[in-house]
Amino acid sequence: ATQKPDRMAWVSHLTAIRDDKDQKAFAEVFGHFAPRVKAFLMKSGASPDLAEEVAQEVMATLWRKAHMFDPTKASVSTWVFTIARNRRIDILRKQRRPEPEDLPWGPEAEPDQEDVLALQQESEQLGVALAALPEKQRDLIVKAYYGDLTHSEIAEQTGLPLGTIKSRIRLALERLRHQLK
Amino acid sequence: MNEIKHHLTDALLMAYSAGTLPEGFNLVVATHISMCDECRARMMEFDTVGGAVMDAETPANVSDESFAATLELIAKDDTALHEPVAETPARNGLFPSPLQDYVGGDLDAVKWRRVGGGVRQAILKTDKSASVRLLHIPAGVAVPDHGHRGTELTLVLQGAFRDESDRFATGDIEVATDELDHQPVAEEGMDCICLAATDAPLRFNSWIPKIAQPFLRI
Ligand SMILES: [Zn+2]
Ligand SMILES: [Zn+2]
């Protein structure tokens, strides 16, 4: 049961949800992500009941907004994280979250498979790099994402290995920009 | 647009991605990212880190009814599916869209108030964890000399200013902490318009702004 489908498989699941309203694909996505979203929210301070309720909302949003998912910009994990984070800000912090202006291009119906593969591999490598960090450093990053560090506390952490966990996603973005011109 | 030289720090981007910044800071960060591809790409990296953190989490137990409940939720509000994908409007005017959301329009919608010396400001409504304002500084005019108790973010939307640390032009962001005392001066030639947020009141070094401080809500 711990056999993890790779990121490209999640991307095709999202396509199946978008194009065919495929409930079987959705069940698999739910089975993997809902328990992680729930855990993420509980660690961020939500009660188990609230966390489960919000996890359901997050997964429903994934279904509804499947057409907004762009595999040249994010892996499914990243996308689910941003949905969960936004709900957390909404519900736990009762704050509005200003989002950057959209890029002048939206998700294409059929994105270039090479771009998709490159971005998905980058995301995978970043996950591997994070897992390979010494425990102390990884803990700090994890704490920051669970809301246990303020931005000034993050700034004080000189030991944060931000360089090593950064990927080449910016190159992927530059390539996209370039192709558009 | 000229090349942006001063960018967001890793700490700010990471906290923005984690969703733990004060709302006023989020607004400045989102506005800078709207103007800056480099920081947008860095934000995407930090979002990817967030995804990896969530993915590495030990899964919690989700009840057996949860999947059915989610399908019900979807069936209840399936209307969103049929909404056309919102076209991103081409940006018109000076302000990127997150800022326009808070102002309720572009530059001509700003309700300026004079704060002395020809400088005008407009405070934008956010939660109390930070205060955020637009500043209009006439060309050649200086903002009162001050220090900072917390963090101050200043994003240039039009024109340029100089202070003790450097020159900041359109798109640049200055991240000032309690170590910096400065007196920003708008460059000659064009009025400078900035978006500035602080999470603690400023420390003014002369007595007139100190008296005015409660009125200016700086
Ligand atoms: Zn930047
Ligand atoms: Zn200042």
Side-chain angles (χ1 to χ4, degrees), chain B residues 77-111:
Chain B
D77 187 18
D78 211 19
T79 46
L81 260 184
H82 308 295
E83 280 170 18
V85 182
E87 287 276 314
T88 310
R91 197 212 302 172
N92 283 316
L94 187 66
F95 298 162
S97 60
L99 181 54
Q100 292 211 14
D101 284 349
Y102 276 77
V103 169
D106 200 40
L107 185 58
D108 52 8
V110 178
K111 293 179 184 70

Side-chain angles (χ1 to χ4, degrees), chain A residues 76-137:
Chain A
V76 176
S77 302
T78 305
W79 194 55
V80 170
F81 161 74
T82 59
I83 298 172
R85 172 205 58 205
N86 290 358
R87 287 303 286 152
R88 184 182 73 186
I89 293 174
D90 229 24
I91 290 172
L92 296 184
R93 302 194 75 199
K94 304 197 189 327
Q95 243 186 31
R96 270 176 80 186
R97 178 181 167 90
E99 292 283 344
E101 190 165 283
D102 282 340
L103 288 169
W105 70 90
E108 289 172 56
E110 286 313 322
D112 191 300
Q113 281 308 297
E114 228 174 276
D115 287 339
V116 175
L117 190 63
L119 192 281
Q120 300 300 320
Q121 281 172 346
E122 295 285 349
S123 307
E124 185 64 40
Q125 285 163 10
L126 198 141
V128 171
L130 182 68
L133 287 176
E135 202 178 325
K136 260 191 181 166
Q137 296 191 327

Side-chain angles (χ1 to χ4, degrees), chain A residues 4 7 10 21 23 26-28 30 32-40 42-43 52-53 55-57 59-61 63-65 67-68 72-75 77-78 80-82 84-85 88-89 93-104 107 119 122-123 126-127 130 140-142 144-152 154-155 160 162-163 165-171 173 177, chain B residues 9-31 33-34 37-38 40-71 73-86 88-91 95-102 125 127 129 151 153 199:
Chain A
K4 200 173 99 189
R7 282 164 200 266
W10 291 131
K21 299 189 180 180
Q23 283 204 8
F26 183 59
E28 281 186 41
F30 186 96
H32 179 81
F33 288 104
R36 286 171 172 80
V37 171
K38 182 176 175 182
F40 173 75
M42 282 169 64
K43 276 216 173 167
E52 182 151 332
E53 199 185 306
Q56 290 171 11
E57 287 171 17
M59 299 316 291
T61 303
W63 173 282
R64 281 189 213 115
K65 294 197 172 169
H67 60 282
M68 308 276 285
T72 63
K73 287 192 205 143
S75 71
S77 302
T78 305
V80 170
F81 161 74
T82 59
R85 172 205 58 205
R88 184 182 73 186
I89 293 174
R93 302 194 75 199
K94 304 197 189 327
Q95 243 186 31
R96 270 176 80 186
R97 178 181 167 90
E99 292 283 344
E101 190 165 283
D102 282 340
L103 288 169
L119 192 281
E122 295 285 349
S123 307
L126 198 141
L130 182 68
L140 277 173
I141 291 171
V142 168
Y145 281 88
Y146 287 122
D148 294 337
L149 296 181
T150 65
H151 81 278
S152 31
I154 296 173
L160 266 184
L162 294 170
I165 55 162
K166 277 190 200 164
S167 69
R168 291 170 295 156
I169 285 170
R170 70 184 65 186
L171 293 180
L173 189 86
R177 271 272 188 216
Chain B
T9 61
D10 277 341
L12 280 164
L13 276 165
M14 191 180 214
Y16 178 70
S17 176
T20 53
L21 282 180
E23 185 183 342
F25 281 14
N26 278 339
L27 177 58
V28 181
V29 169
T31 306
I33 290 170
S34 302
D37 285 353
E38 186 180 325
R40 186 188 292 271
R42 290 167 65 209
M43 172 197 75
M44 288 162 68
E45 290 173 348
F46 282 112
D47 283 352
T48 308
V49 177
V53 166
M54 198 187 72
D55 229 13
E57 191 48 59
T58 311
N61 273 324
V62 166
S63 71
D64 294 340
E65 307 86 62
S66 209
F67 182 64
T70 305
L71 290 181
L73 215 57
I74 290 166
K76 229 193 293 177
D77 187 18
D78 211 19
T79 46
L81 260 184
H82 308 295
E83 280 170 18
V85 182
T88 310
R91 197 212 302 172
F95 298 162
S97 60
L99 181 54
Q100 292 211 14
D101 284 349
Y102 276 77
K125 203 173 168 325
D127 74 348
S129 49
T151 302
L153 308 181
D199 58 1

